[in-house]
Amino acid sequence: MNDTHLAHDDPGSVTSGTIHAEGSWNTRKYRAHPLCSIHPALKLGGQVIPMLPRNRFVVLALIASLLLPASAQDAATQSWLYRFSLGQINSEAHGVSAGEIGKLPTFTVRPAKTGRQLVRVSLTFAPATFPNELSLQVTEGDSVFIPGVRVLTLHPGIPKSVRRAIVTFPFEFPDFAARTFQLSLAQRDPAPMVSAERGEDDWIIEIAGSTLAVNGNRIDWTRPDGSKVKAELIAPARTDANRGELSVVESGKHYKWIRAAIPGAQWPRIIEVRADSLGGLVIRAHLQRLEKGDGVAPDFGWKISGAPTQPFERHAFAMANEAFKISLPASDVTFPDAHLLKRGYVESDGSGIVYMRCTADESVPMQETSWRTATIAFSPSGAAPLNSLLEPSHEVTFDSSQPAQIDLSQWPDLDRLREYHRSAIAKAALLGDDYGNVTSFAEGSPASYYGMNRLNHCPAIFEEYYRSGDPRMRETAVQWCSNMYDLSLWWGDTPDFGGTRYNAAVAAGEKEHEGDTSFLWRTNWTSHFCTKGFDSFFLAYEETGDPRFLTALNAQIEYAKQFIFVDKGECRNIGDVADFMRLYWYTGLPEYRDEALRLFRELRTKLGDDNLFSQGGQPIVKEGPFIDDDQHGYDAPFAKPYIIGYALTGLPDLLEVAPDEPRLRDTVRAVADFLAESIDPAGGWRYPHPNSSSMILSQALEHAAQIANAARVLEQRGEDIDNLLDAIEKVLQQRVMGYQRTGTILSGLSGWESSQSPTRRLTMHSPLAPANK
């Protein structure tokens, strides 16, 4: 095992690699934001014991019985603690990482408030530019200082170099003018570690000049000035005597982040504390429900005492449109996401503050194994408020090392349409009980409660953020991942831990919530073809450093390896090749390439002579009947554009690294040609069959992107792609002309057979229109 330290400010973080491969790693697939993989490790007595992912849960009980004290051998407790422990990050340990040492990015900050402010930015570094054994210094004008640096991911290859890191420092902003910060390499300056020890009942932590005593229901905070604040968790009483495990997420010069994972038979919880060098403190409780079946959240929130405040009447968040602030003598108390969750209230009688994230009477949906969170932030008076991602709300822009956005100033309609799409994506994100879920957009209407609830479109939203710098794209993508973690992944103590629930229990035939249009109740079991886009969790981790996203990524990768197949009834699972290939490009780990190859080789057994396939893998019926609905199509299997397009999300990338794989090139070519030939002149594809009467226009852009993937690789091979470009152009013309004529996006076109008028009926809304496909 080749172990190397990863995080500059947390020497306890370890990255390990056991890969033996040749090659050189540069910017081939660098894009803007790289990926790495993680593997679990069990921390016992200061040692890190790596585990093989495929065997992780199989050997869990054996490890617990061999290595843990007899008094702690409760299998369910140890399983829970292990599964929600901090993850590990791996990247390829061989090959060459090529680049120019010291060619570092710059970034610009426009402060939300003047005065001494905390700056905290996640930055991207090109291969080899930031050697892992060094650190950074920041220059602005005549000021030069050492920031806190937390490394998140590394480039594959040697010498080891940083791909993504969070940089944190305080800075005095005399006005609201933007300041540009230059980075240069510096010697490693070890940061003071978080001091933590077990008290009689609590974890005692020295953090950023404060002392915290943390247990499952309470945080006692002694501030640097000696004043004391107590935060008591309002949640179901604990019945488990195990105090859990304390982990250090980040221990930098200016930012400390600890988490206490506290098990329980019915209501386990994770308590987070984040403290900064200016005196800010964030406390967040994650409460999990392990009771069987569907239910609602209990009374849940925080009671704060010792923070003197004036009494004020109850402030309810149901109708709030902005964060609520309580001003104390030397600090402010805010609730960064309460106005987005649309539940609960805050009130004070003068002796303290009660924040109810929700009450039992509000009946906030809470399914088996799902999570709900409650967050309070304390900030120095005059500090910039925290946004919903718990970051200072400054405006941050990056230098030209980011991918250049195409200049559309000569085509103002195209420029407006691009902005319209970004706005539509942000508006497709829900508020309230399903906060963060991205469903659909319809002009003039709120996002629908009902949506796909799968992450395969999330990487594209991250990519749009990288291109445009639009912070709405970043927040939308990260909060979607957060929503998936809390509400859509299955965290049960079963072998399919971490898989994705089916997106709608009613659509799956369950009747319990039939007619409920206030919340999208998922199933309490996993669906392999809903487990898509899992590499999004790593992108979310690179943006935030939140360890929950590593937990989700690790679990979803392991689930995909064990439960996702292409030859067992769902050929659409070939779409997961894209996830594995993105992981491969950024980590260099052959295991991901091999998983992508496995999926294609399974598909190969289902290909017809024409290299096409049906949804279920059955032989395609030649000269089949007229098909106008899904059910009839199952009786006569055919090449379905919606399903077959998944082949082009990842197979073109696989073709680049496996050009000699039998039938791989032929499949990419055949599927691309099929989509190009089956497009309707109106610029969309008919559904479900290429000859059906109804047409989906809003999703045509997704097929165009799939065709573009194939065209890129086929052109590199010297093949003619004119027919593919023609199909892409038809889609773009439909999208642009529809927007020019209507000011919105055309959704679909129904045939006269189903229309109430003799003309065909046109519907309009969004590219994220809800569907259960």
Side-chain angles (χ1 to χ4, degrees):
M1 184 68 68
N2 179 18
D3 292 342
T4 55
H5 288 298
L6 174 64
H8 291 177
D9 292 333
D10 183 6
S13 295
V14 176
T15 177
S16 58
T18 58
I19 302 305
H20 303 279
E22 298 178 355
S24 107
W25 301 97
N26 49 35
T27 57
R28 161 63 187 82
K29 281 287 180 178
Y30 168 56
R31 295 179 187 169
H33 293 236
L35 287 174
C36 283
S37 173
I38 61 141
H39 288 299
L42 185 62
K43 296 182 179 180
L44 296 171
Q47 296 181 329
V48 177
I49 304 174
M51 299 290 297
L52 295 176
R54 193 178 292 275
N55 298 329
R56 182 183 183 194
F57 304 131
V58 175
V59 299
L60 181 60
L62 176 62
I63 289 176
S65 64
L66 292 177
L67 299 180
L68 294 174
S71 60
Q73 289 185 10
D74 179 85
T77 294
Q78 296 307 323
S79 174
W80 187 89
L81 287 170
Y82 175 56
R83 283 166 159 165
F84 291 102
S85 62
L86 298 185
Q88 299 253 178
I89 304 175
N90 288 343
S91 62
E92 168 60 69
H94 296 78
V96 176
S97 181
E100 182 180 341
I101 295 176
K103 189 176 182 180
L104 303 177
T106 63
F107 61 98
T108 300
V109 178
R110 187 179 300 277
K113 283 195 172 183
T114 60
R116 193 161 178 79
Q117 302 292 333
L118 189 75
V119 175
R120 183 168 169 83
V121 181
S122 180
L123 294 171
T124 300
F125 299 87
T129 60
F130 180 5
N132 189 43
E133 65 271 16
L134 296 178
S135 190
L136 299 172
Q137 69 179 16
V138 178
T139 302
E140 195 284 326
D142 296 330
S143 301
V144 180
F145 49 91
I146 301 297
V149 179
R150 177 185 171 194
V151 173
L152 298 174
T153 55
L154 300 178
H155 285 289
I158 53 175
K160 284 294 183 184
S161 61
V162 176
R163 301 196 73 166
R164 198 69 185 267
I166 296 178
V167 175
T168 309
F169 56 90
F171 186 79
E172 186 74 32
F173 290 93
D175 51 42
F176 287 103
R179 296 293 194 279
T180 297
F181 297 92
Q182 309 282 339
L183 297 176
S184 56
L185 297 175
Q187 292 291 320
R188 181 78 60 84
D189 181 18
M193 298 300 294
V194 169
S195 171
E197 61 183 31
R198 286 179 181 264
E200 182 176 347
D201 297 309
D202 307 315
W203 295 99
I204 309 299
I205 305 138
E206 298 290 336
I207 183 169
S210 297
T211 300
L212 297 164
V214 180
N215 69 21
N217 292 309
R218 190 189 73 252
I219 298 174
D220 292 315
W221 176 25
T222 303
R223 296 177 168 183
D225 63 4
S227 61
K228 297 180 182 296
V229 174
K230 177 185 291 186
E232 297 174 273
L233 184 64
I234 301 170
R238 294 190 65 226
T239 58
D240 194 318
N242 189 317
R243 81 172 76 186
E245 293 182 354
L246 187 76
S247 301
V248 176
V249 177
E250 182 172 351
S251 183
K253 292 172 63 68
H254 300 292
Y255 202 84
K256 315 288 184 182
W257 184 347
I258 60 97
R259 69 195 286 270
I262 304 161
Q266 293 183 317
W267 297 99
R269 59 211 60 182
I270 293 175
I271 307 297
E272 292 184 41
V273 180
R274 312 184 195 191
D276 64 63
S277 58
L278 295 184
L281 188 80
V282 176
I283 57 175
R284 167 170 277 190
H286 304 266
L287 183 68
Q288 187 183 29
R289 178 180 176 272
L290 293 184
E291 293 179 338
K292 296 295 183 182
D294 295 337
V296 298
D299 287 343
F300 182 36
W302 291 98
K303 179 181 178 181
I304 308 297
S305 55
T309 181
Q310 295 296 319
F312 59 84
E313 294 182 357
R314 177 175 296 186
H315 175 84
F317 290 104
M319 303 301 293
N321 294 316
E322 59 185 20
F324 183 72
K325 182 177 74 174
I326 302 171
S327 296
L328 304 179
S331 61
D332 297 325
V333 181
T334 58
F335 313 87
D337 59 3
H339 63 295
L340 303 170
L341 299 172
K342 301 294 183 184
R343 295 286 195 168
Y345 62 85
V346 60
E347 64 183 9
S348 174
D349 61 3
S351 63
I353 300 166
V354 173
Y355 165 52
M356 295 303 301
R357 181 260 182 260
C358 62
T359 67
D361 291 340
E362 290 177 300
S363 298
V364 173
M366 196 168 185
Q367 297 188 252
E368 182 179 351
T369 81
S370 67
W371 296 82
R372 292 293 184 180
T373 62
T375 309
I376 294 184
F378 297 82
S379 304
S381 296
L386 300 184
N387 60 25
S388 65
L389 300 178
L390 307 184
E391 304 162 334
S393 53
H394 310 306
E395 178 185 324
V396 181
T397 55
F398 303 95
D399 67 8
S400 58
S401 67
Q402 301 296 324
Q405 180 172 239
I406 298 173
D407 183 6
L408 297 179
S409 58
Q410 297 183 57
W411 302 277
D413 280 349
L414 285 177
D415 209 14
R416 285 191 290 269
L417 180 56
R418 183 169 59 183
E419 169 58 27
Y420 186 88
H421 276 73
R422 292 193 199 114
S423 178
I425 290 170
K427 291 178 180 178
L430 287 172
L431 302 177
D433 292 341
D434 212 352
Y435 171 59
N437 190 17
V438 176
T439 59
S440 67
F441 160 77
E443 187 66 59
S445 302
S448 169
Y449 84 100
Y450 185 87
M452 291 297 287
N453 209 48
R454 305 166 198 171
L455 278 179
N456 47 311
H457 294 146
C458 194
I461 301 177
F462 277 113
E463 287 285 345
E464 185 56 29
Y465 165 64
Y466 304 151
R467 278 190 295 268
S468 67
D470 188 333
R472 296 174 301 173
M473 300 299 93
R474 177 176 184 263
E475 181 176 4
T476 299
V478 171
Q479 295 292 15
W480 195 5
C481 290
S482 184
N483 173 278
M484 290 291 292
Y485 178 98
D486 286 342
L487 302 179
S488 288
L489 299 195
W490 171 250
W491 300 118
D493 191 9
T494 53
D496 58 344
F497 172 88
T500 305
R501 305 168 191 254
Y502 188 72
N503 62 305
V506 172
E510 299 178 6
K511 303 298 184 182
E512 181 180 356
H513 302 291
E514 195 168 25
D516 185 351
T517 60
S518 64
F519 179 78
L520 182 65
W521 292 90
R522 289 72 152 164
T523 61
N524 291 318
W525 41 267
T526 61
S527 168
H528 51 84
F529 66 81
C530 290
T531 305
K532 295 183 174 75
F534 45 82
D535 57 299
S536 304
F537 287 114
F538 204 94
L539 296 174
Y541 174 70
E542 287 190 315
E543 290 298 330
T544 65
D546 192 328
R548 294 185 309 148
F549 298 134
L550 287 185
T551 297
L553 176 68
N554 182 55
Q556 293 249 285
I557 290 172
E558 191 166 318
Y559 176 91
K561 289 180 177 180
Q562 296 185 67
F563 293 100
I564 292 180
F565 302 94
V566 179
D567 57 354
K568 299 184 185 301
E570 278 294 349
C571 288
R572 77 175 86 186
N573 285 344
I574 195 63
D576 285 72
V577 168
D579 297 48
F580 282 121
M581 286 307 298
R582 282 190 290 259
L583 290 169
Y584 171 69
W585 285 125
Y586 297 121
T587 67
L589 293 174
E591 65 182 90
Y592 299 124
R593 177 203 60 205
D594 294 346
E595 287 295 326
L597 279 168
R598 171 183 68 84
L599 293 176
F600 172 69
R601 288 165 181 168
E602 292 171 357
L603 177 68
R604 191 164 58 205
T605 67
K606 301 298 181 180
L607 294 175
D609 294 339
D610 55 1
N611 296 300
L612 302 179
F613 55 92
S614 67
Q615 178 170 339
Q618 305 92 339
I620 292 174
V621 174
K622 305 297 183 182
E623 303 298 329
F626 175 71
I627 296 171
D628 210 36
D629 62 87
D630 270 326
Q631 191 57 50
H632 193 36
Y634 297 141
D635 299 329
F638 63 98
K640 187 176 185 178
Y642 175 85
I643 294 297
I644 208 165
Y646 280 119
L648 299 185
T649 59
L651 290 186
D653 279 352
L654 182 60
L655 180 59
E656 289 188 273
V657 301
D660 299 322
E661 181 68 14
R663 301 185 73 177
L664 177 54
R665 175 268 169 201
D666 296 339
T667 302
V668 172
R669 183 82 237 189
V671 174
D673 287 344
F674 171 81
L675 288 178
E677 292 166 5
S678 60
I679 187 173
D680 188 272
W685 279 263
R686 295 172 181 270
Y687 185 87
H689 190 276
N691 294 327
S692 298
S693 62
S694 294
M695 188 189 312
I696 297 177
L697 296 171
S698 62
Q699 293 176 194
L701 210 59
E702 180 178 7
H703 288 320
Q706 294 163 350
I707 296 172
N709 288 341
R712 170 181 55 82
V713 176
L714 294 173
E715 185 180 40
Q716 290 171 359
R717 295 170 60 92
E719 299 191 29
D720 179 60
I721 61 169
D722 283 351
N723 66 323
L724 308 184
L725 297 180
D726 288 345
I728 294 170
E729 186 175 4
K730 288 177 183 177
V731 174
L732 295 178
Q733 286 177 335
Q734 171 259 118
R735 184 59 59 95
V736 173
M737 294 177 67
Y739 177 71
Q740 288 175 329
R741 297 290 292 270
T742 69
T744 186
I745 298 166
L746 306 183
S747 175
L749 195 61
S750 62
W752 62 266
E753 300 91 339
S754 58
S755 177
Q756 295 179 356
S757 67
T759 58
R760 304 186 90 187
R761 184 177 58 205
L762 184 68
T763 57
M764 295 175 286
H765 49 236
S766 90
L768 297 172
N772 186 39
K773 309 186 185 71

